[in-house]
Amino acid sequence: MHGVPDAAESTAPPSRRQVDAVLFDFHGTLAQVEDPVAWVTAAAAACGTELDRGKATILADRLVTAGRAGGPLPRRVPIHLAEHWADRDLYEHSHRAAYTGLAETVSTDVEGLADALYDRLLGPDGWLPYADTLPTLRILKDAGVKVAVVSNIGFDIRPHFAAWGLDALVDAFALSYEVGRTKPDPAIFLRACGMLAVDPERTLMVGDSPADAGAVQAGCAALVLPAAEPGRANGLGATLALAGCEV
C-alpha cells in the first residue's frame, strides 16, 4: 500500500549517534610537545652535551621566545626566514628551515643544537598524548564513528600514532603539507571528509584554535577546547557527548 513504511523501517529504533565522523587537530588537542626544559636537555644530549637544569632552563626560555614548533608564535621573524615561515605548513623543507633558523638566532655553545631540537619534533619521544586521547579514540572506534586527524604541520605524524598504539584508531590523516591547504581553509576539512567518505554536515571538528573553527565554513560542526599541559586530560570527553556516544 502506498504511503505505508515497511516493517523494518517502522520498527527500527532511531540511532542515537549524532555524527558519522570526528576530525581532530593534532597539537594542543590530541597531543602536546614535551616540556621545554626536557626538550632542550634531550636535544643537547643528542649533540653530546650535558646541560645542568639552570642552564637548560635559561636556554629553553630563550628558544621558546625565539619560536618553537608547538609553542607560542615568535614575536619577530627575521627577514631571511620570512618566506619559509609563510610556507612552513605547506612544505617540509620550509618547516625545518623556519624552525631551525629561529633556533639559530639564540646564541649557544652546543654545536648542532638547532637541528637536534627540530629532530625532537619528528619522533614520538618529543610529544605526549593527552591522558584522555586513547580512551576517547577507542570509544569512537567502538561506536563506529570514523576519525581523521587534520593538522597544519610540515612533517609526517603517522609514526607518532603508531608508536603510541593509536594508529588503528585513526582512519585518515589530512596533513597540510600533503593536502596543500591549511586551516582555516575549508578545503582541508572537505578533503578529510572525502577521505572518510562522510558528509560534512554529519562531521564534528575538534581543535584548540580559531583555525579549527574554520570547519564551520565547510559545513561541519566545531568544538574548540583550550590546550592542556603535556600528559594531562584535555576535556576530550565533550567530544563523546556531542558525537552521541555512550560512555
Side-chain angles (χ1 to χ4, degrees), residues 157-228:
I157 53 175
R158 294 176 184 86
H160 298 58
F161 283 78
W164 297 331
L166 301 176
D167 52 331
L169 304 178
V170 177
D171 300 292
F173 289 84
L175 308 181
S176 61
Y177 82 101
E178 294 179 338
V179 174
R181 295 288 189 275
T182 59
K183 298 178 289 186
D185 188 332
I188 192 169
F189 304 108
L190 293 172
R191 177 68 67 86
C193 291
M195 290 175 173
L196 299 176
V198 296
D199 292 330
E201 292 77 11
R202 295 278 300 170
T203 301
L204 172 67
M205 174 68 203
V206 181
D208 70 315
S209 73
D212 297 308
V216 172
Q217 299 302 316
C220 305
L223 170 65
V224 178
L225 300 168

Side-chain angles (χ1 to χ4, degrees), residues 130-156:
Y130 285 120
D132 45 357
T133 294
L134 173 58
T136 298
L137 295 180
R138 180 172 289 155
I139 290 170
L140 290 171
K141 183 76 170 182
D142 291 345
V145 177
K146 296 180 179 180
V147 168
V149 175
V150 183
S151 179
N152 285 355
I153 203 161
F155 58 91
D156 191 5

